[in-house]
Amino acid sequence: MSKYGFSFSLSRLLGIAQAKQKFARTTGIPTTKGGLQRKIGASILKIFFK
């Protein structure tokens, strides 16, 4: 499918992606696994090297 520049996402169709994005922006809590790991790692480093 993506060979010709066409992609389909059920989460975007249902509005889940937008809802997660809005939640992350308003609360400051990332909804992706990598974003959450970065945020937790940064807060741990702040505790030790404040």
Side-chain angles (χ1 to χ4, degrees):
M1 270 191 186
S2 63
K3 184 177 179 182
Y4 301 105
F6 175 78
S7 64
F8 176 78
S9 172
L10 187 60
S11 123
R12 286 184 67 188
L13 178 69
L14 297 176
I16 295 170
Q18 185 179 8
K20 285 172 69 175
Q21 192 176 48
K22 188 175 181 181
F23 172 79
R25 284 187 182 146
T26 56
T27 61
I29 302 169
T31 54
T32 62
K33 183 178 177 183
L36 196 56
Q37 287 176 346
R38 280 194 308 272
K39 188 164 183 95
I40 291 171
S43 63
I44 290 173
L45 288 175
K46 273 186 186 177
I47 291 171
F48 287 121
F49 298 109
K50 190 175 184 183

